[in-house]
Amino acid sequence: MSALVTWLVAAMMAFAPPANARKFPGWEETPDEARARYALLARAIEEAVLASNGSGYSDKAEAALLLALALKESDLARDVDVGPCYRAGAWKKRCDGGTSFSVWQLKAFRRSDGTRVTGAMIQADRALAAKKALALALGSLGQCRKLPEADRLSAYVKGTC
């Protein structure tokens, strides 16, 4: 396991301890299962940051950005990560009513070549999701650079600065 993945897993265990996770029916997991899932997420984050091209941020800064977004968007919840998002009863509106996918709560999108990436594809491929989330986040930081620092991810979160 690389140093970045080890660092990410330790951060995930600290900021989203499995003992504090919501216990949705059918989505329970042991701390060991959570750690193993977190390692898969960390590897996807590592793959995304190693593939990013010249953002001007270090790999660790990009990884921290992706982790912070995932924590804010989903608390790394197992159902949101693995899919489908638990949406019964009081939780019906989770995951934007079922239209957002992965721990980064991404919508389906089209690649630059016009091919469609569906929610199911996003859900099934953590690395794809991490790469898209990183591209959106870095784009937001650039697009919203004139805003106060606390608002520079507005385009990621709201779709506009």
Side-chain angles (χ1 to χ4, degrees):
M1 196 178 306
S2 74
L4 183 59
V5 169
T6 300
W7 178 80
L8 283 164
V9 172
M12 290 175 187
M13 294 299 287
F15 291 109
N20 294 355
R22 288 193 180 110
K23 307 291 190 248
F24 293 119
W27 289 107
E28 302 84 0
E29 70 183 339
T30 68
D32 286 340
E33 290 168 336
R35 183 182 296 276
R37 184 172 59 79
Y38 287 179
L40 295 173
L41 273 169
R43 285 188 192 100
I45 291 171
E46 179 181 54
E47 185 176 329
V49 302
L50 293 177
S52 75
N53 296 321
S55 70
Y57 297 98
S58 70
D59 290 348
K60 195 169 187 179
E62 288 181 352
L65 174 61
L66 281 174
L67 177 56
L69 287 169
L71 288 164
K72 174 69 173 144
E73 292 291 332
S74 68
D75 275 335
L76 307 180
R78 181 172 178 255
D79 65 311
V80 179
D81 180 28
V82 176
C85 182
Y86 181 81
R87 297 181 42 246
W91 306 102
K92 189 175 185 175
K93 294 185 180 187
R94 286 184 79 231
C95 299
D96 297 321
T99 63
S100 292
F101 304 90
S102 89
V103 294
W104 294 284
Q105 292 296 274
L106 302 171
K107 306 279 188 198
F109 62 94
R110 289 199 182 276
R111 290 189 170 119
S112 58
D113 67 2
T115 58
R116 182 164 168 73
V117 176
T118 65
M121 293 165 72
I122 293 167
Q123 198 75 63
D125 189 342
R126 288 183 180 103
L128 168 71
K131 288 173 187 173
K132 181 62 175 179
L134 182 59
L136 290 171
L138 293 173
S140 182
L141 290 173
Q143 182 182 346
C144 304
R145 68 186 168 280
K146 293 183 180 178
L147 293 179
E149 196 171 293
D151 296 326
R152 291 185 189 151
L153 288 169
S154 295
Y156 181 94
V157 176
K158 300 177 192 172
T160 183
C161 292

